[in-house]
Amino acid sequence: MSLCAVKPDEAGAGDSFPVAENLCTIVSNDWVNEEYRLLIVDAPAIALAAKAGQFFHLMCPPDGESGNFLRRPMSIHRIDREQGQLHFLYKVQGSGTRGLATLGQGDTLDALGPVGQGFTLPRGTQHVVMIGRGVGLATLAPLAQEAVAAGAKVTAILSARMASLLMAEDALRSDGAEVVIVTDDVGNSDTTSLEALLRRVHADRPIDFVATCGSKRLTRLLQDFSTEFGIAGQVALEQRMGCALGMCFACVMPFRNTAADGTRTVGYRRVCWDGPVFNLEETVL
Amino acid sequence: MSLCAVKPDEAGAGDSFPVAENLCTIVSNDWVNEEYRLLIVDAPAIALAAKAGQFFHLMCPPDGESGNFLRRPMSIHRIDREQGQLHFLYKVQGSGTRGLATLGQGDTLDALGPVGQGFTLPRGTQHVVMIGRGVGLATLAPLAQEAVAAGAKVTAILSARMASLLMAEDALRSDGAEVVIVTDDVGNSDTTSLEALLRRVHADRPIDFVATCGSKRLTRLLQDFSTEFGIAGQVALEQRMGCALGMCFACVMPFRNTAADGTRTVGYRRVCWDGPVFNLEETVL
Amino acid sequence: MTDLSVRIGDITLANPIMPGSGTLAEGMADVFDLSRLGAIVTKTFTDDLREGNAPPRVAELQNSTLFSIGIPSKGTDYYLNKTVPFYQKFNTPIVASISADTTEGFGALAAKLSDSGVVAIEANISCPNLKKDGLAFGMDPVATEEVIRAMKAATHLPVWAKLSPNVGDIAVIARAAENGGADALVTANAMLAMAIDIETWQPRVANLMGGITGPATKPVIMRMVYQCAQAVSIPVIGCGGVSNAADAIEYMLAGATAVQMGTQSFVQPTAMVKLLDDLTAYCERRGIAKVSKLTGAMRMFSPEQLARQGSL
Amino acid sequence: MTDLSVRIGDITLANPIMPGSGTLAEGMADVFDLSRLGAIVTKTFTDDLREGNAPPRVAELQNSTLFSIGIPSKGTDYYLNKTVPFYQKFNTPIVASISADTTEGFGALAAKLSDSGVVAIEANISCPNLKKDGLAFGMDPVATEEVIRAMKAATHLPVWAKLSPNVGDIAVIARAAENGGADALVTANAMLAMAIDIETWQPRVANLMGGITGPATKPVIMRMVYQCAQAVSIPVIGCGGVSNAADAIEYMLAGATAVQMGTQSFVQPTAMVKLLDDLTAYCERRGIAKVSKLTGAMRMFSPEQLARQGSL
């Protein structure tokens, strides 16, 4: 089946479709630190056509009395087309992820996707700065890979409570990103320190794209920073979802709209279909 | 906890109760032939106090889309007080038994019981004849054990499509029963042959109690036979159940009642609470 | 130690947990000490003897059951001479659930119970009358009010109205019951439902329709309990899919003063006792001195909160 | 080869499977060929632009979901210029689902759709009007009849009435819709329900109440489909918890001519296609030449059978 060649507008014309209920075989599903697990699956070609910032909607096994009736959205941590594998990095915190944690090698994961609008790197981008905290780091890694492949320098600022909770560091480095680590422990992860850091990075080498995920505080920081310097930027958002295909309208959040005449209003958009990646300046926090 | 000492009438007086949600550890759960599985569990003392003809109401694991919301009644095949074990013999045919079949060694079975009215062997019984087919055989085995222990001779007539589907034969022999086998294959399992067999057995050594389970045809045969010769008899019945404690009134079947003035009427009784063992002459088929 | 007691009109119950009518019988005394319950609501009986519906009477559904029992009854004499004395061995108030074909019948039966030893009478005006395609007293506010009024005129005992969920606006029925003099509402009975076997093409219960009970019904009855609690000033007893302490707490937050457990007792006979233990633990963890503080304690989203969550 | 076609009034559909309104959008075209469907029912829109309710809009329940979306709408122009052309790429009849605040509004919007390319209009008179504590047109037979009559006067297109399940006697509403001129009934919309978070003590959807959908609702809606099919002579389309072919068959046996799938498509976007495959296989296994033979084919227990099964 030809995959990326099929645009939504052409669907129905043949029998190749860009989104599928991919039945993926679990390769491993292990703890990477005390809070996070890394799930690696063998994925079919449709799934491997995913782009940075897109996500999969996972059927999670039941967790005790919770049947996990709905799927759970999960951002992609790594698309490894050589190995034919997808990586998901997740925090075990709700019944969905508790169910996911029960999957073992050889089990099957039903992963609907890839879905959603991923990151859009402006043509000719020279220097991408991404800043993430917690599981947000997982979501940004594929963007680093794409940006480096597109010839851009990538500076990844990773924030965590302590160094032992850092994730994605190795993946980012091996993808060619320059990694800067800030932690609460060390005391350089507060907004003031980070703003100063961003200014230093920008002064050293002009940033022309910023991206973030997973923290309102960091998103606000990047909104202010990118507005001040006129830098394009995007954020990957999270919201409780129903269908992940734009059908149920459950996952809306408010965004700023600009009409043709310049009038600005605020309206709901679907995180699953209009996002989960949105332009920073349109995002209401 | 003192078990058999607690009669229903005394419940509430202390904190020992004759019925419990017994959490039993699976010892084994293997196929005994192409249709039946034998489930052996380690059981607590409350469960081991069960009497022949009583049953347990089993919580069955989910089977695919069927959650098996309700428990399933299961007659007891063997009460092994020395080993502290209960044996259940079951045919895998519905979602409940399919769920049960998924249990493996070391898993836990939630077995509510023992519940129901078991067999009542008249005092001084000399010769018990029991006749069973299919899974009905499983239900009768504990009665053989009790009858032999009470000093009676037991003749067990086992009926099956073919000899390979026979069950309980060894258990019955080891408990001291004389086993007679009839099969469709051989052509001696039809009603006419069986009636002739019963008459021969009775002529040889007078029968004073008959018991059956699992076949309407055999129950009718025993009803006619026991009526003709004035022999006491009982049948263990099966019915779809809700609660197994006489609460929901779902498992009723019609029975003949005899009023004080001799008037006979027909009325519903609960198989779980008034039975599952009923006197043959009261049973409506 | 949390005070678990609740008041239903003039009656104080040691705790808010009781069985739904028809979901407890003598057999339960073999499993746990019935003295632990807040009340014992007995199975609905009629003055006359009734056999109930033909089997099959039960079908298993997803997270629920379809019961079509009818109202088998051994009559009033059996109730007074056998049932009440059995439960009087326990230190728990007994509530009689009754049904009748007419308003007068409800009144006459209530009168017979006045000195029986029960502390209240629950009027089962809601059990689907399958002979009328599911219509019942409880689907009509006028009939509801008349039945309760007739019972109140016939006995000094408190009367609880067990409402039918098979109505458009439960608040109208709730107010009718209150106007008739009901001392409490029980919200609600089973929802009228149906299932067909796709192999035999026959109904899965012989009587075609039955009542769906179990966890699947909780969200709809939760809404009705809230609507009832908003509509009347008498206590509301929540009944519908209560399986555990979380469900009981949810009903209380919605406005229930007490809750009845039904179907879960069929699956797990010790569920009411476990519920009480877990409810106590919840109150202790949350520092709730009196369980009655939970009643109606739900907090709506504030405008500020909706704004933070992305409201427009 | 089984003939899967069914007739809904003057319209012949290639098969009886269609999405429930609000459970299919452009994104589904990325998953399978929408030409396989019997019809495409689009998400309800209003003439005016609406944002819908504040989030959280969804709560997960047992075997079901609680949705409180409101009716976000991009208005009629968007529908005519964007939505219809998108779905016209598929070889499937389009059914527009509409809502309005007034009877006149329903009529006016129906008129605007007359030449839009849709083959029928579904009147969403049943979406809970949460501003009125859940009351809606569909809870009142007079309002139901008036809305349908106004639409029929305004357009030559067939009108389907999507009934509310939040009523006491669905047959009364069904007959009112038929009297108003409805060409078909869709039974039914979501059941009004509620859930509370026992940790935050807040409602689980911001708007307090929402509609429960999913498998848990099937037995109640099944009963309503049967009651509707008994009450009217126009086709009934079953809608409530359809997850697979077995559910569709069950609805057809109860009297439905076609079925809508909703929530299951959120969980399993290919479910409608799988349903069609399994429905075909069922018909072939059972030797059913025309799927329409299933409609209303349920067989009651015979007196002889009840006697055999132990009836009295």
Side-chain angles (χ1 to χ4, degrees):
Chain A
M1 291 207 289
S2 157
L3 301 170
C4 294
V6 179
K7 295 200 186 69
D9 279 349
E10 292 167 10
D15 56 2
S16 44
F17 298 94
V19 177
E21 294 165 15
N22 302 283
L23 299 180
C24 304
T25 304
I26 311 288
V27 174
S28 62
N29 185 16
D30 301 324
W31 291 104
V32 292
N33 61 33
E34 57 197 271
E35 292 180 349
Y36 288 85
R37 273 179 179 263
L38 177 64
L39 174 62
I40 301 178
V41 301
D42 283 330
I46 288 182
L48 293 170
K51 288 162 55 182
Q54 287 195 298
F55 67 100
F56 284 84
H57 208 34
L58 307 185
M59 186 85 84
C60 300
D63 170 54
E65 287 185 12
S66 169
N68 289 328
F69 181 69
L70 292 170
R71 290 170 183 261
R72 299 292 193 279
M74 178 71 68
S75 65
I76 308 159
H77 175 47
R78 188 173 188 84
I79 307 152
D80 185 341
R81 296 196 181 85
E82 282 179 28
Q83 301 281 328
Q85 292 178 338
L86 289 173
H87 296 212
F88 301 101
L89 196 58
Y90 63 99
K91 190 171 183 174
V92 180
Q93 54 187 358
S95 68
T97 44
R98 279 196 302 272
L100 218 49
T102 65
L103 290 171
Q105 189 186 348
D107 288 344
T108 299
L109 172 71
D110 177 343
L112 173 70
V115 282
Q117 305 299 319
F119 289 99
T120 306
L121 211 57
R123 191 176 292 269
T125 294
Q126 296 293 314
H127 186 195
V128 174
V129 167
M130 52 184 61
I131 179 164
R133 187 175 166 94
V135 84
L137 301 165
T139 309
L140 296 170
L143 175 63
Q145 201 176 12
E146 282 190 15
V148 168
K153 173 179 166 66
V154 174
T155 305
I157 303 172
L158 309 189
S159 171
R161 282 210 313 282
M162 58 189 94
S164 67
L165 292 177
L166 274 170
M167 283 162 305
E169 183 184 349
D170 295 344
L172 285 162
R173 281 194 215 279
S174 75
D175 287 336
E178 181 174 332
V179 175
V180 181
I181 288 164
V182 296
T183 64
D184 303 358
D185 267 8
V186 172
N188 57 354
S189 64
D190 60 294
T191 317
T192 311
S193 306
L194 283 171
E195 192 193 329
L197 172 62
L198 281 171
R199 288 177 188 277
R200 284 198 304 274
V201 169
H202 189 50
D204 188 45
R205 181 162 180 166
I207 303 168
D208 46 12
F209 189 78
V210 291
T212 188
C213 179
S215 159
K216 283 197 177 191
R217 185 173 59 87
L218 296 180
T219 305
R220 277 199 205 92
L221 174 67
L222 274 195
Q223 274 185 327
D224 293 343
F225 179 78
S226 62
T227 301
E228 181 179 338
F229 291 97
I231 300 169
Q234 293 188 310
V235 56
L237 297 176
E238 291 174 336
Q239 174 66 305
R240 186 180 297 268
M241 284 183 191
C243 69
L245 285 167
M247 307 193 288
C248 76
F249 285 74
C251 63
V252 297
M253 293 177 75
F255 293 89
R256 295 189 192 90
N257 299 317
T258 308
D261 65 358
T263 319
R264 300 198 79 169
T265 55
V266 172
Y268 287 132
R269 296 186 203 164
R270 293 162 287 184
V271 171
C272 74
W273 182 251
D274 303 306
V277 176
F278 294 89
N279 288 332
L280 267 174
E281 76 269 17
E282 295 172 342
T283 303
V284 177
L285 290 170
Chain B
M1 291 206 289
S2 158
L3 301 170
C4 292
V6 179
K7 294 200 187 67
D9 279 349
E10 292 167 9
D15 56 2
S16 44
F17 299 93
V19 177
E21 295 166 17
N22 302 283
L23 298 180
C24 305
T25 305
I26 311 288
V27 174
S28 62
N29 185 17
D30 301 323
W31 291 105
V32 292
N33 60 34
E34 56 198 271
E35 293 181 349
Y36 288 86
R37 273 178 180 266
L38 177 65
L39 174 62
I40 301 178
V41 300
D42 283 331
I46 288 182
L48 293 170
K51 289 162 53 183
Q54 285 195 299
F55 68 100
F56 284 84
H57 208 34
L58 307 185
M59 185 84 82
C60 300
D63 169 54
E65 286 186 13
S66 171
N68 289 329
F69 181 71
L70 292 170
R71 289 169 184 261
R72 300 292 194 278
M74 179 71 69
S75 64
I76 307 158
H77 175 47
R78 187 171 188 84
I79 306 151
D80 185 342
R81 297 196 181 84
E82 282 179 28
Q83 301 282 327
Q85 293 177 337
L86 288 173
H87 296 211
F88 301 101
L89 196 57
Y90 63 100
K91 188 170 183 175
V92 180
Q93 52 186 2
S95 68
T97 44
R98 279 196 303 271
L100 217 49
T102 66
L103 290 170
Q105 189 185 350
D107 289 345
T108 298
L109 173 72
D110 177 343
L112 173 71
V115 282
Q117 306 299 320
F119 289 99
T120 307
L121 212 56
R123 189 177 294 269
T125 294
Q126 297 295 311
H127 186 195
V128 174
V129 167
M130 51 184 61
I131 179 165
R133 187 174 167 94
V135 84
L137 301 164
T139 309
L140 297 170
L143 175 63
Q145 202 175 12
E146 281 190 17
V148 168
K153 173 181 168 65
V154 174
T155 305
I157 303 173
L158 309 189
S159 170
R161 282 210 313 283
M162 59 189 96
S164 67
L165 293 178
L166 275 170
M167 283 162 306
E169 183 183 349
D170 295 344
L172 285 162
R173 280 194 215 280
S174 75
D175 287 336
E178 180 174 334
V179 175
V180 181
I181 287 164
V182 297
T183 64
D184 302 358
D185 267 9
V186 173
N188 58 353
S189 65
D190 59 295
T191 318
T192 311
S193 306
L194 283 171
E195 191 192 330
L197 172 62
L198 283 171
R199 288 177 187 278
R200 284 198 305 275
V201 170
H202 188 51
D204 188 46
R205 180 163 181 164
I207 303 167
D208 47 12
F209 188 77
V210 291
T212 187
C213 178
S215 159
K216 282 197 176 192
R217 185 173 59 89
L218 296 180
T219 305
R220 278 200 204 91
L221 174 67
L222 274 195
Q223 275 185 327
D224 293 345
F225 179 78
S226 63
T227 301
E228 181 180 339
F229 292 97
I231 300 168
Q234 292 189 310
V235 55
L237 297 176
E238 292 173 337
Q239 174 67 304
R240 186 180 298 268
M241 283 184 191
C243 68
L245 284 167
M247 306 193 288
C248 76
F249 284 75
C251 64
V252 298
M253 293 176 75
F255 292 89
R256 296 188 192 92
N257 299 317
T258 307
D261 64 358
T263 319
R264 301 199 78 169
T265 55
V266 171
Y268 288 132
R269 295 186 203 163
R270 293 162 288 184
V271 171
C272 73
W273 182 253
D274 302 306
V277 175
F278 294 89
N279 289 333
L280 266 176
E281 76 270 16
E282 294 172 342
T283 302
V284 177
L285 291 171
Chain C
M1 190 61 190
T2 305
D3 176 2
L4 289 180
S5 70
V6 295
R7 286 186 63 86
I8 309 287
D10 294 336
I11 310 168
T12 298
L13 305 179
N15 67 64
I17 307 305
M18 61 187 89
S21 172
T23 66
L24 184 137
E26 289 82 346
M28 198 65 121
D30 291 352
V31 183
F32 69 87
D33 180 2
L34 303 187
S35 301
R36 287 207 59 189
L37 298 174
I40 291 171
V41 184
T42 52
K43 182 171 174 65
T44 302
F45 71 97
T46 56
D47 193 44
D48 54 330
L49 276 62
R50 297 186 184 186
E51 286 289 339
N53 296 334
R57 287 178 170 190
V58 62
E60 184 180 68
L61 307 173
Q62 285 185 297
N63 259 306
S64 55
T65 52
L66 184 67
F67 279 107
S68 174
I69 304 294
I71 302 185
S73 172
K74 293 184 173 172
T76 305
D77 286 348
Y78 186 93
Y79 186 77
L80 296 177
N81 298 325
K82 299 284 188 179
T83 307
V84 172
F86 178 86
Y87 292 112
Q88 278 178 326
K89 290 182 297 189
F90 306 97
N91 185 28
T92 304
I94 302 168
V95 178
S97 172
I98 67 169
S99 181
D101 292 334
T102 62
T103 301
E104 298 71 31
F106 269 103
L109 185 46
K112 289 192 187 183
L113 294 172
S114 292
D115 302 315
S116 64
V118 306
V119 302
I121 307 176
E122 183 178 282
N124 182 357
I125 54 171
S126 44
C127 213
N129 183 342
L130 304 177
K131 294 281 149 53
K132 285 196 169 181
D133 202 27
L135 284 173
F137 290 95
M139 294 175 71
D140 174 12
V142 175
T144 297
E145 183 169 342
E146 285 174 357
V147 163
I148 303 301
R149 196 178 300 283
M151 290 173 66
K152 289 296 287 185
T155 180
H156 66 281
L157 289 172
V159 171
W160 300 357
K162 183 159 183 182
L163 305 189
S164 166
N166 305 304
V167 300
D169 187 352
I170 193 91
V172 170
I173 310 289
R175 283 190 289 264
E178 186 179 41
N179 289 340
D183 297 275
L185 305 179
V186 181
T187 306
N189 209 309
M191 300 175 73
L192 193 64
M194 204 176 114
I196 306 171
D197 185 312
I198 69 159
E199 292 305 325
T200 66
W201 294 14
Q202 292 199 309
R204 291 184 59 199
V205 293
N207 213 11
L208 176 58
M209 294 181 195
I212 180 174
T213 65
T217 69
K218 189 186 69 166
V220 173
I221 308 293
M222 188 70 61
R223 180 261 299 178
M224 291 183 175
V225 163
Y226 172 78
Q227 290 176 319
C228 285
Q230 296 290 309
V232 300
S233 56
I234 53 176
V236 178
I237 300 167
C239 176
V242 173
S243 301
N244 51 43
D247 296 337
I249 292 161
E250 192 178 355
Y251 269 115
M252 294 187 77
L253 292 171
T257 299
V259 299
Q260 296 185 346
M261 176 184 280
T263 308
Q264 185 64 24
S265 289
F266 296 160
V267 174
Q268 182 190 8
T270 58
M272 285 188 287
V273 174
K274 179 158 195 316
L275 190 166
L276 277 167
D277 292 344
D278 293 346
L279 176 62
T280 304
Y282 174 90
C283 288
E284 287 173 358
R285 171 166 69 80
R286 300 277 302 225
I288 298 163
K290 297 167 73 73
V291 76
S292 59
K293 296 285 183 197
L294 291 172
T295 298
M298 181 182 73
R299 290 194 288 254
M300 292 292 195
F301 282 83
S302 66
E304 298 71 30
Q305 204 179 6
L306 288 176
R308 270 205 310 283
Q309 299 207 13
S311 177
L312 294 176
Chain D
M1 188 62 192
T2 305
D3 175 3
L4 289 180
S5 70
V6 295
R7 286 185 65 83
I8 310 287
D10 293 336
I11 308 169
T12 299
L13 304 180
N15 66 65
I17 306 306
M18 61 186 90
S21 174
T23 67
L24 184 137
E26 289 82 346
M28 198 66 121
D30 291 351
V31 183
F32 68 87
D33 180 2
L34 303 187
S35 301
R36 287 206 60 188
L37 298 173
I40 292 170
V41 184
T42 53
K43 182 172 174 62
T44 302
F45 71 98
T46 56
D47 194 43
D48 54 330
L49 276 63
R50 298 186 183 185
E51 287 288 339
N53 297 334
R57 286 179 169 187
V58 62
E60 184 179 70
L61 307 173
Q62 284 184 298
N63 259 307
S64 54
T65 53
L66 184 67
F67 279 108
S68 174
I69 305 295
I71 303 186
S73 171
K74 293 184 173 173
T76 305
D77 287 347
Y78 186 92
Y79 186 77
L80 296 177
N81 298 325
K82 299 284 187 179
T83 307
V84 172
F86 179 85
Y87 292 113
Q88 279 178 326
K89 291 182 296 188
F90 306 98
N91 184 27
T92 304
I94 303 168
V95 178
S97 172
I98 67 169
S99 181
D101 292 334
T102 61
T103 300
E104 298 72 31
F106 269 103
L109 185 45
K112 289 191 187 184
L113 293 172
S114 292
D115 303 315
S116 64
V118 306
V119 303
I121 307 174
E122 184 178 281
N124 182 356
I125 55 172
S126 43
C127 213
N129 184 342
L130 305 177
K131 296 280 149 54
K132 285 195 169 182
D133 202 26
L135 283 174
F137 290 95
M139 294 176 71
D140 174 13
V142 175
T144 297
E145 183 169 341
E146 285 174 356
V147 163
I148 303 301
R149 195 179 301 283
M151 290 173 65
K152 289 296 287 184
T155 181
H156 65 280
L157 289 172
V159 172
W160 300 356
K162 184 159 183 182
L163 305 189
S164 166
N166 305 303
V167 299
D169 187 353
I170 194 90
V172 170
I173 310 288
R175 282 189 291 263
E178 186 179 40
N179 288 340
D183 296 274
L185 306 179
V186 181
T187 306
N189 210 309
M191 300 175 74
L192 193 63
M194 206 176 112
I196 306 170
D197 186 311
I198 68 159
E199 292 305 327
T200 66
W201 294 13
Q202 291 200 309
R204 292 184 58 198
V205 293
N207 212 12
L208 176 58
M209 295 181 193
I212 180 175
T213 64
T217 68
K218 189 185 70 167
V220 174
I221 308 293
M222 188 70 62
R223 179 262 298 179
M224 291 184 175
V225 163
Y226 173 78
Q227 290 176 318
C228 285
Q230 296 289 310
V232 299
S233 56
I234 53 176
V236 177
I237 300 167
C239 176
V242 173
S243 302
N244 52 42
D247 296 336
I249 293 160
E250 192 178 356
Y251 269 114
M252 294 187 77
L253 292 171
T257 299
V259 300
Q260 296 185 345
M261 175 184 281
T263 307
Q264 184 65 24
S265 289
F266 297 160
V267 174
Q268 183 191 8
T270 59
M272 285 189 287
V273 175
K274 180 159 194 316
L275 191 166
L276 277 167
D277 292 344
D278 292 347
L279 177 60
T280 304
Y282 174 90
C283 288
E284 287 173 358
R285 173 167 68 80
R286 300 279 302 225
I288 297 163
K290 296 167 74 73
V291 76
S292 59
K293 295 285 182 196
L294 290 172
T295 298
M298 180 182 73
R299 290 193 288 255
M300 292 292 196
F301 282 82
S302 65
E304 297 72 29
Q305 204 180 6
L306 288 176
R308 269 204 312 280
Q309 299 207 14
S311 176
L312 294 175

